PDB file of all heavy atoms in Angstrom:
ATOM      1  N   PRO L 136      83.041 160.175 129.437  1.00 96.00           N
ATOM      2  CA  PRO L 136      82.642 161.246 130.361  1.00 96.00           C
ATOM      3  C   PRO L 136      81.277 160.994 130.998  1.00 96.00           C
ATOM      4  O   PRO L 136      80.459 160.232 130.476  1.00 96.00           O
ATOM      5  CB  PRO L 136      82.585 162.479 129.446  1.00 96.00           C
ATOM      6  CG  PRO L 136      82.204 161.923 128.106  1.00 96.00           C
ATOM      7  CD  PRO L 136      82.873 160.569 128.029  1.00 96.00           C
ATOM      8  N   VAL L 137      81.074 161.641 132.126  1.00 96.00           N
ATOM      9  CA  VAL L 137      79.763 161.648 132.792  1.00 96.00           C
ATOM     10  C   VAL L 137      79.376 163.104 133.006  1.00 96.00           C
ATOM     11  O   VAL L 137      80.177 164.027 132.813  1.00 96.00           O
ATOM     12  CB  VAL L 137      79.808 160.891 134.133  1.00 96.00           C
ATOM     13  CG1 VAL L 137      80.111 159.417 133.908  1.00 96.00           C
ATOM     14  CG2 VAL L 137      80.834 161.508 135.072  1.00 96.00           C
ATOM     15  N   LEU L 138      78.135 163.318 133.414  1.00 96.00           N
ATOM     16  CA  LEU L 138      77.616 164.676 133.556  1.00 96.00           C
ATOM     17  C   LEU L 138      78.484 165.516 134.483  1.00 96.00           C
ATOM     18  O   LEU L 138      78.758 166.692 134.204  1.00 96.00           O
ATOM     19  CB  LEU L 138      76.175 164.625 134.066  1.00 96.00           C
ATOM     20  CG  LEU L 138      75.496 165.985 134.327  1.00 96.00           C
ATOM     21  CD1 LEU L 138      75.464 166.814 133.053  1.00 96.00           C
ATOM     22  CD2 LEU L 138      74.099 165.775 134.893  1.00 96.00           C
ATOM     23  N   ALA L 139      78.943 164.927 135.602  1.00 96.00           N
ATOM     24  CA  ALA L 139      79.746 165.695 136.558  1.00 96.00           C
ATOM     25  C   ALA L 139      81.020 166.226 135.912  1.00 96.00           C
ATOM     26  O   ALA L 139      81.484 167.322 136.244  1.00 96.00           O
ATOM     27  CB  ALA L 139      80.075 164.828 137.774  1.00 96.00           C
ATOM     28  N   ASP L 140      81.615 165.461 134.977  1.00 94.00           N
ATOM     29  CA  ASP L 140      82.816 165.917 134.264  1.00 94.00           C
ATOM     30  C   ASP L 140      82.524 167.212 133.505  1.00 94.00           C
ATOM     31  O   ASP L 140      83.295 168.171 133.559  1.00 94.00           O
ATOM     32  CB  ASP L 140      83.287 164.861 133.266  1.00 94.00           C
ATOM     33  CG  ASP L 140      83.856 163.628 133.936  1.00 94.00           C
ATOM     34  OD1 ASP L 140      84.452 163.763 135.006  1.00 94.00           O
ATOM     35  OD2 ASP L 140      83.697 162.535 133.370  1.00 94.00           O
ATOM     36  N   LEU L 141      81.418 167.214 132.782  1.00 95.00           N
ATOM     37  CA  LEU L 141      81.107 168.366 131.941  1.00 95.00           C
ATOM     38  C   LEU L 141      80.742 169.579 132.787  1.00 95.00           C
ATOM     39  O   LEU L 141      81.067 170.716 132.423  1.00 95.00           O
ATOM     40  CB  LEU L 141      79.962 168.008 130.993  1.00 95.00           C
ATOM     41  CG  LEU L 141      80.193 166.740 130.144  1.00 95.00           C
ATOM     42  CD1 LEU L 141      79.083 166.592 129.115  1.00 95.00           C
ATOM     43  CD2 LEU L 141      81.560 166.772 129.474  1.00 95.00           C
ATOM     44  N   GLU L 142      80.096 169.343 133.905  1.00 96.00           N
ATOM     45  CA  GLU L 142      79.771 170.460 134.798  1.00 96.00           C
ATOM     46  C   GLU L 142      81.041 171.068 135.383  1.00 96.00           C
ATOM     47  O   GLU L 142      81.143 172.298 135.533  1.00 96.00           O
ATOM     48  CB  GLU L 142      78.843 169.973 135.909  1.00 96.00           C
ATOM     49  CG  GLU L 142      77.451 169.617 135.402  1.00 96.00           C
ATOM     50  CD  GLU L 142      76.572 169.005 136.474  1.00 96.00           C
ATOM     51  OE1 GLU L 142      77.125 168.456 137.466  1.00 96.00           O
ATOM     52  OE2 GLU L 142      75.342 169.056 136.340  1.00 96.00           O
ATOM     53  N   ARG L 143      82.041 170.215 135.702  1.00 95.00           N
ATOM     54  CA  ARG L 143      83.313 170.737 136.205  1.00 95.00           C
ATOM     55  C   ARG L 143      84.038 171.538 135.134  1.00 95.00           C
ATOM     56  O   ARG L 143      84.623 172.592 135.415  1.00 95.00           O
ATOM     57  CB  ARG L 143      84.201 169.587 136.687  1.00 95.00           C
ATOM     58  CG  ARG L 143      83.862 169.055 138.063  1.00 95.00           C
ATOM     59  CD  ARG L 143      84.965 168.161 138.597  1.00 95.00           C
ATOM     60  NE  ARG L 143      85.118 166.952 137.806  1.00 95.00           N
ATOM     61  CZ  ARG L 143      84.467 165.811 138.042  1.00 95.00           C
ATOM     62  NH1 ARG L 143      83.614 165.736 139.050  1.00 95.00           N
ATOM     63  NH2 ARG L 143      84.674 164.749 137.281  1.00 95.00           N
ATOM     64  N   VAL L 144      84.010 171.050 133.901  1.00 96.00           N
ATOM     65  CA  VAL L 144      84.658 171.774 132.808  1.00 96.00           C
ATOM     66  C   VAL L 144      83.986 173.134 132.607  1.00 96.00           C
ATOM     67  O   VAL L 144      84.666 174.149 132.398  1.00 96.00           O
ATOM     68  CB  VAL L 144      84.606 170.953 131.506  1.00 96.00           C
ATOM     69  CG1 VAL L 144      85.056 171.795 130.313  1.00 96.00           C
ATOM     70  CG2 VAL L 144      85.498 169.725 131.621  1.00 96.00           C
ATOM     71  N   GLU L 145      82.684 173.168 132.704  1.00 96.00           N
ATOM     72  CA  GLU L 145      81.979 174.440 132.529  1.00 96.00           C
ATOM     73  C   GLU L 145      82.376 175.434 133.617  1.00 96.00           C
ATOM     74  O   GLU L 145      82.638 176.612 133.335  1.00 96.00           O
ATOM     75  CB  GLU L 145      80.466 174.209 132.547  1.00 96.00           C
ATOM     76  CG  GLU L 145      79.671 175.472 132.287  1.00 96.00           C
ATOM     77  CD  GLU L 145      78.206 175.186 132.008  1.00 96.00           C
ATOM     78  OE1 GLU L 145      77.878 174.047 131.638  1.00 96.00           O
ATOM     79  OE2 GLU L 145      77.396 176.114 132.143  1.00 96.00           O
ATOM     80  N   ARG L 146      82.463 174.962 134.870  1.00 96.00           N
ATOM     81  CA  ARG L 146      82.871 175.863 135.951  1.00 96.00           C
ATOM     82  C   ARG L 146      84.300 176.352 135.738  1.00 96.00           C
ATOM     83  O   ARG L 146      84.619 177.521 135.986  1.00 96.00           O
ATOM     84  CB  ARG L 146      82.742 175.149 137.304  1.00 96.00           C
ATOM     85  CG  ARG L 146      81.313 174.891 137.739  1.00 96.00           C
ATOM     86  CD  ARG L 146      81.249 174.481 139.204  1.00 96.00           C
ATOM     87  NE  ARG L 146      81.953 173.233 139.476  1.00 96.00           N
ATOM     88  CZ  ARG L 146      81.365 172.036 139.422  1.00 96.00           C
ATOM     89  NH1 ARG L 146      80.072 171.933 139.116  1.00 96.00           N
ATOM     90  NH2 ARG L 146      82.060 170.948 139.693  1.00 96.00           N
ATOM     91  N   LYS L 147      85.170 175.443 135.274  1.00 95.00           N
ATOM     92  CA  LYS L 147      86.560 175.824 135.024  1.00 95.00           C
ATOM     93  C   LYS L 147      86.662 176.867 133.919  1.00 95.00           C
ATOM     94  O   LYS L 147      87.429 177.831 134.025  1.00 95.00           O
ATOM     95  CB  LYS L 147      87.373 174.583 134.659  1.00 95.00           C
ATOM     96  CG  LYS L 147      88.857 174.858 134.462  1.00 95.00           C
ATOM     97  CD  LYS L 147      89.632 173.569 134.257  1.00 95.00           C
ATOM     98  CE  LYS L 147      91.125 173.842 134.112  1.00 95.00           C
ATOM     99  NZ  LYS L 147      91.907 172.580 133.979  1.00 95.00           N
ATOM    100  N   LEU L 148      85.889 176.692 132.863  1.00 95.00           N
ATOM    101  CA  LEU L 148      85.916 177.656 131.759  1.00 95.00           C
ATOM    102  C   LEU L 148      85.412 179.025 132.199  1.00 95.00           C
ATOM    103  O   LEU L 148      85.966 180.057 131.815  1.00 95.00           O
ATOM    104  CB  LEU L 148      85.067 177.137 130.598  1.00 95.00           C
ATOM    105  CG  LEU L 148      85.655 175.958 129.810  1.00 95.00           C
ATOM    106  CD1 LEU L 148      84.628 175.436 128.817  1.00 95.00           C
ATOM    107  CD2 LEU L 148      86.933 176.360 129.097  1.00 95.00           C
ATOM    108  N   LEU L 149      84.362 179.032 133.014  1.00 96.00           N
ATOM    109  CA  LEU L 149      83.831 180.308 133.505  1.00 96.00           C
ATOM    110  C   LEU L 149      84.864 181.017 134.381  1.00 96.00           C
ATOM    111  O   LEU L 149      85.045 182.237 134.279  1.00 96.00           O
ATOM    112  CB  LEU L 149      82.537 180.071 134.278  1.00 96.00           C
ATOM    113  CG  LEU L 149      81.340 179.611 133.440  1.00 96.00           C
ATOM    114  CD1 LEU L 149      80.155 179.258 134.344  1.00 96.00           C
ATOM    115  CD2 LEU L 149      80.935 180.679 132.437  1.00 96.00           C
ATOM    116  N   ALA L 150      85.540 180.256 135.238  1.00 96.00           N
ATOM    117  CA  ALA L 150      86.579 180.853 136.084  1.00 96.00           C
ATOM    118  C   ALA L 150      87.739 181.361 135.235  1.00 96.00           C
ATOM    119  O   ALA L 150      88.288 182.445 135.492  1.00 96.00           O
ATOM    120  CB  ALA L 150      87.067 179.827 137.111  1.00 96.00           C
ATOM    121  N   LEU L 151      88.109 180.595 134.218  1.00 93.00           N
ATOM    122  CA  LEU L 151      89.200 180.995 133.331  1.00 93.00           C
ATOM    123  C   LEU L 151      88.849 182.278 132.589  1.00 93.00           C
ATOM    124  O   LEU L 151      89.663 183.207 132.491  1.00 93.00           O
ATOM    125  CB  LEU L 151      89.502 179.870 132.344  1.00 93.00           C
ATOM    126  CG  LEU L 151      90.568 180.139 131.277  1.00 93.00           C
ATOM    127  CD1 LEU L 151      91.903 180.431 131.928  1.00 93.00           C
ATOM    128  CD2 LEU L 151      90.690 178.954 130.328  1.00 93.00           C
TER     129      LEU L 151
END
Side-chain angles (χ1 to χ4, degrees):
V137 296
L138 178 59
D140 290 327
L141 306 188
E142 291 174 337
R143 280 193 295 270
V144 170
E145 183 168 340
R146 290 193 298 269
K147 184 174 182 177
L148 288 173
L149 291 174
L151 177 61

